[in-house]
Each structure stands twice: as C-alpha cells, then as structure tokens.
Amino acid sequence: MAQERQAAIVGIHEYPLRVAPGVSAMNVKVDSIRAALEDAGLQWSDIDAIYDAQDGEAGGGLQLAAYLGLRPTVLDTTQVGGSSYEFHAAHAMRDIAAGKCNVAVLSYGSTSASNRVAIGTGGRGMAGPANWAQNMELPYGSTLIANYAMVKQRHQFEYGTTDEQFAGISVATRHHAMRNPEAVKAMTDLQFVGVNEITTQDVLDSRVVADPLHLLECCMISDGGGALIIASADVARGCKKPPVWLIGAGEATKYRENHGDITTSAGAQSGPIAFAEAGVTPDEIDIAMIYDSFTITVAVCLEDLGFCPKGDVGAYVEGGRLAFDSGEGPALNTDGGGLSSNHPGMRGIFLLLESARQLRGESTSQVPGAQLAVAHGNGGLLGGTHTGGTVILAKD
Amino acid sequence: MAKRPQPQFPEPHTESFWEGAQQGELRYQRCDACEEIVFYPRQHCPSCGSQNLSWQVSKGEGTVYTFSVVRQNRMPGFIDLGAYSVAYIDLDEGFRMMSSVVGVDDPTKDIAIGQRVRVDFEKQEEGDYPIPVFRPI
C-alpha cells in the first residue's frame, strides 16, 4: 500500500511531574490539553474529536467532553490498557481520513504514585460481580509482575536468553533517562536508590521481585500524564511546529491459549499490519518507542515487530545498539522509558510523545536526522490477555 | 499456605469446574462438534462456535509450561507469605491452566519448566472449595 500522509501529530505535552500530590487525573489531562493546543497553535474550540481511555476520576469520554465543555463529533473511549493511546492514534488516523473530524485530542492523567497504587505487586482482588476469569486465577495469588515474569522464564528456557542480555535493556534506558531532566527529577522524587547510570551488574544485583524479574527490570509507578493533538493534513500545515505524520497503524489482541506460545505477543500481528500500511521495514526505523513495563516486554516486542527473528533478541541487544548514540539503532525509549522516566499505569501516550519529539528534533537524547519512529504499546498482561498497538510515524 | 481467595458464585461458566474440585476431579470441556479441548470453562467452543460441550475429567497429570516465584504480593492472604510459585501447567489432555506448584523445599530452586506434576486438591477452611494445585511427580 502506498504511504499516505493524511493525519499528523501537531501538538504535544508531557506533564512534567511524576509526583504531584493534591492534583487530580483530570487536572493533569486539562493542563496537558491546554499546553498541547498551545504547542500546536490551535484553539480550544478547534477540537472536534476526543479519544479517551476512561482515566479521569468521574468516568471517561462522555464526562471528559462535559468537563472540557466540548461537543465532539467523534467520541472514542477505547480502553485496552497501556496501549490504548496507540489504538486511539490508529482510530484518529482513519476518522480523519474518513472526514469525520479534523482536530483530535488524546489525553492521559494519573495519580498512581500519590495514591500508592501497587500496580505490579498488589495482586488482584475480587472486583465486581463474580466472573469466570477471576474464579480460575485469583486463588493462585499471581501478580502483574509474576505474569510478565512467566514470559521471561519461558523465553530464557526456549532461547537461552540471559539475565545479562535482558539487563542491557535497563542499562540503555537509564542512559537516556539521565539525559532527561524530567526523568532525573522523577527518579529523585520517587526516591530511587542511585539516580545515576547503571551497569548490567547493578541490574543483576537488584532484588528479585518475581523470578526471574529483578527490580531494575521493572517500570516505576509514578503520577503523570500528557496530551497530544492529531490533525488533518490541511490543519497540520497551518500549525506552529512541523507535523509528525502517522503513516501506519495496526491493532491486535492475544490471550492464553492451549498450546499457545507465551513468548509471542499481539505485536506479531499488529506490527506487520502497521509496517505494511506505512510501506517501510523495521530496518529503516530510527526510533523504537516500545512499552517497557519490564525488560521482557521490550525483548518480546522487538522480535515480534521484526527487528530480529523470534528468540534472537538477546544477541540483538548485546553490545548496546539500543543506546541513542550507538550509531547502530534503533534507539530505544530515548525519554528514559517506563523503567526510568514515567509510568503512571498506561504508558502508551508517552511512546507517541517521545516519537514526536524525536521527529521534530526536540528529544534530550536526539538521534541526528531521525526520519522514522515506531510506537508500540502493549496493554494488559503480556503472559495473559493483552493488546498490541503499533503506530509508525514519519518526519515531515 | 495462607487462605487462598475463593471462587465466587453465582457464576455459570465455572460452577461445574468447582463442583468437580469438591469431588477431587479436575474437569475440563471438550467440543462435541469439532473435538477441540476447551479451557477455561465457557459456554461455547472458541474454535468452531458450537455450544455442544461435554465435561471431561482429567487424569490430573501434566508438565510445567512456565512459572514465576512471587516474592512480593500486597494482597491480603499473600502479604506475609514467603516465596510461592504461580505457573501455567499443560495437562496431558491438552489444556493449559494457571495454578501453583507446591510441596517443594525451595520454590526458587526446585521448580523447572518441563517438570512433571500431578494435581492435588489443597484443603482450605471448613466449607471452602479445595483449590487444585500441583506437586512434582
């Protein structure tokens, strides 16, 4: 399929704080929307489409429209976990191409840190009416981290991937975080032990939270959020900053299956769809923004998106190619990622925000001449029911 | 082992599974139309859509597909527990279920992918459903 340039990111804002006591999710969303509009040079009243993952306190989508005081002609409340924003971007692309809207807003706000939400280690309580999924899994005390850890365990068993190789993902990401003042402040405010560059050994020496995942292989839990504005080509041409084009998108789901392969994620389905639509290949990608809930998530998704064959990610990441200044590429999570910059629960929006910064030349770990980025979100549980959302972005 | 969370009812899909657990049976479903093994329990065959499913009783033997050892869980019942395992078990009849491998000295060392295991119905408090867990054979 020929590459089309019908929709672009024209305004972005990442909420600067990762610890923001006394602030609501709705505060974060509205602050971010205002700032993203300002960045684009657009007006509040220009917004005609809202995409929302239902994260505001009073309920999502409908309540957000009412709170903002808007009457959008497109209202999309897709909630598929952390990859919701890649799904939103995919939907905004096609809604704009179909002429249903011209200026779409995506926003996220969360106060997970201030509210002490134990996302990874909280276990899962009986919530709502009895259901089959809870009845079959809750008795075993699995945690979110244990679910991802089971994927790492199987990957190591099948392909011999080592802890050292996984640790390389944490090391590269921290390298980028230390160059990002907001990430440094995040780690400081969240009282990280050692706000500094880390080594492979540091990762291996950090405590095991759920075998075989070490603490430094796990994302932080922060407050935060952000917003971005996606506009039609006509609107984009009149905005303040160069447009960052959305040129391909794919969506997929995956879940536990009898005889299924836990080391392959939904990205194996969403990735090829997105690359085919964009008309580009993984080896052309400069920036890989891949949801780093854990090292294993990045490892599996690099394989599934086609950066290397299944099982080869250990050798692929060895030698530090993922660092922005390695000269090899792709550069991974150049903002510092969920591991070391920002993870309030649903990181998908930050993948798009940093992709846009890179393709504008505004990153704190800028890859010179970056032309193409992929933002890949994984939502839900990598070793259970989850979604994959892939978006390919291009410099103007 | 601390008290495990109990299944909650009414819940139509999993009722028979848990009745089986009370009787020491590990139950699963098979599609009468296409012979697909169906697990977790549901009302239709995810392969062909047929709603003609029959309950079967597993021999209860299988293999550890993958596992983790949880060192930290803030949920009541697990919060003060030492390390314990969660695992996906591939039963010989062809279904995969989440469970736990128990009865080993040190779960961080004594559990392995590929290990052969057999179901055991772990007693809970009086009146509770026993929970199917697995022990190395």
Side-chain angles (χ1 to χ4, degrees):
Chain A
M1 188 183 294
Q3 188 186 107
E4 296 195 42
R5 298 196 166 195
Q6 295 181 309
I9 296 176
V10 296
I12 57 175
H13 182 74
E14 181 166 343
Y15 194 76
L17 298 179
R18 313 297 195 255
V19 180
V23 169
S24 74
M26 214 60 132
N27 291 151
V28 174
K29 287 164 78 81
V30 173
D31 279 357
S32 298
I33 292 170
R34 283 180 53 90
L37 283 170
E38 170 69 23
D39 183 55
L42 292 170
Q43 305 297 315
W44 195 257
S45 55
D46 290 329
I47 297 170
D48 60 3
I50 292 176
Y51 299 80
D52 193 58
Q54 310 179 44
D55 47 307
E57 283 87 2
L62 176 57
Q63 286 294 349
L64 180 64
Y67 185 81
L68 296 177
L70 296 171
R71 297 180 194 280
T73 53
V74 172
L75 180 59
D76 181 321
T77 56
T78 299
Q79 163 51 268
V80 289
S83 59
S84 295
Y85 304 92
E86 281 66 44
F87 279 60
H88 293 168
H91 300 174
M93 277 175 72
R94 71 182 186 218
D95 292 342
I96 287 170
K100 296 292 186 185
C101 57
N102 284 300
V103 178
V105 63
L106 287 59
S107 65
Y108 176 43
S110 167
T111 55
S112 293
S114 293
N115 292 339
R116 295 282 183 270
V117 181
I119 298 171
T121 58
R124 313 232 135 188
M126 276 287 178
N131 69 68
W132 60 272
Q134 292 185 347
N135 275 3
M136 298 306 293
E137 294 198 345
L138 280 187
Y140 301 108
S142 187
T143 59
L144 183 147
I145 297 181
N147 182 279
Y148 283 75
M150 288 199 289
V151 182
K152 184 184 173 193
Q153 186 89 262
R154 186 73 197 184
H155 200 283
Q156 295 192 292
F157 173 82
E158 279 198 40
Y159 309 114
T161 323
T162 66
D163 280 339
E164 287 78 3
Q165 290 168 329
F166 281 105
I169 292 167
S170 304
V171 171
T173 311
R174 179 64 66 85
H175 180 51
H176 299 151
M178 292 310 296
R179 301 173 53 84
N180 176 357
E182 289 180 8
V184 170
K185 179 167 169 53
M187 292 186 283
T188 306
D189 290 351
L190 289 164
Q191 301 176 337
F192 270 41
V193 177
V195 181
N196 46 30
E197 299 263 347
I198 53 174
T199 64
T200 299
Q201 196 58 44
D202 290 333
V203 179
L204 303 188
D205 289 345
S206 65
R207 72 184 164 87
V208 173
V209 183
D211 297 72
L213 280 175
H214 302 79
L215 180 66
L216 289 179
E217 296 183 84
C218 305
C219 63
M220 63 172 70
I221 299 171
S222 65
D223 296 339
L228 59 97
I229 312 290
I230 297 174
S232 62
D234 282 350
V235 172
R237 287 296 172 202
C239 288
K240 280 177 17 188
K241 300 268 183 75
V244 171
W245 298 100
L246 305 178
I247 61 170
E251 305 171 32
T253 54
K254 195 165 183 288
Y255 32 84
R256 182 214 57 86
E257 291 174 292
N258 301 329
H259 309 296
D261 172 17
I262 202 173
T263 69
T264 297
S265 76
Q269 188 177 3
S270 66
I273 295 170
F275 279 107
E277 185 178 21
V280 301
T281 57
D283 60 4
E284 295 177 77
I285 295 290
D286 303 298
I287 309 299
M289 293 300 303
I290 298 180
Y291 201 127
D292 57 337
S293 42
F294 304 93
T295 53
I296 182 61
T297 322
V298 173
V300 160
C301 293
L302 280 170
E303 293 172 342
D304 291 342
L305 293 176
F307 285 99
C308 63
K310 177 55 65 186
D312 286 1
V313 73
Y316 180 76
V317 304
E318 242 171 13
R321 74 178 304 145
L322 300 176
F324 84 105
D325 49 1
S326 73
E328 290 181 90
L332 175 77
N333 296 339
T334 48
D335 58 342
L339 292 170
S340 293
S341 176
N342 203 351
H343 193 282
M346 296 192 291
R347 185 170 163 72
I349 199 165
F350 306 118
L351 308 175
L352 296 165
L353 291 173
E354 176 65 7
S355 294
R357 284 191 291 255
Q358 280 283 355
L359 299 175
R360 285 175 168 189
E362 296 176 353
S363 173
T364 49
S365 291
Q366 184 63 42
V367 173
Q371 299 288 321
L372 288 169
V374 59
H376 179 75
N378 189 88
L381 299 174
L382 186 67
T385 303
H386 68 264
T387 54
T390 312
V391 179
I392 316 284
L393 306 93
K395 184 183 172 74
D396 189 37
Chain B
M1 188 72 203
K3 179 178 161 59
R4 295 179 184 273
Q6 282 279 297
Q8 303 293 313
F9 298 98
E11 200 296 296
H13 305 87
T14 54
E15 214 162 34
S16 178
F17 176 88
W18 287 104
E19 281 172 13
Q22 283 179 317
Q23 296 164 31
E25 290 181 357
L26 185 65
R27 293 182 184 172
Y28 65 100
Q29 292 167 298
R30 189 170 61 207
C31 175
D32 294 340
C34 75
E35 301 191 340
E36 179 86 1
I37 302 298
V38 179
F39 197 87
Y40 303 133
R42 62 196 87 180
Q43 68 177 34
H44 71 287
C45 169
S47 183
C48 75
S50 167
Q51 296 203 6
N52 296 320
L53 303 182
S54 302
W55 284 97
Q56 313 286 323
V57 178
S58 167
K59 290 200 177 80
E61 293 186 5
T63 304
V64 176
Y65 173 70
T66 189
F67 70 99
S68 175
V69 181
V70 180
R71 312 272 189 110
Q72 184 180 338
N73 183 345
R74 294 186 176 156
M75 196 165 85
F78 295 98
I79 195 164
D80 296 325
L81 214 58
Y84 62 91
S85 73
V86 294
Y88 280 129
I89 308 297
D90 279 343
L91 277 299
D92 291 349
E93 290 84 359
F95 65 96
R96 180 175 296 170
M97 71 177 282
M98 181 179 282
S99 187
S100 181
V101 178
V102 304
V104 297
D105 288 340
D106 181 352
T108 68
K109 295 192 173 71
D110 301 336
I111 301 171
I113 289 176
Q115 196 169 26
R116 292 289 294 167
V117 290
R118 182 182 293 127
V119 72
D120 183 32
F121 292 89
E122 185 186 77
K123 284 197 173 58
Q124 308 296 310
E125 290 177 6
E126 187 63 32
D128 281 352
Y129 287 89
I131 306 293
V133 295
F134 287 81
R135 293 175 182 275
I137 294 175

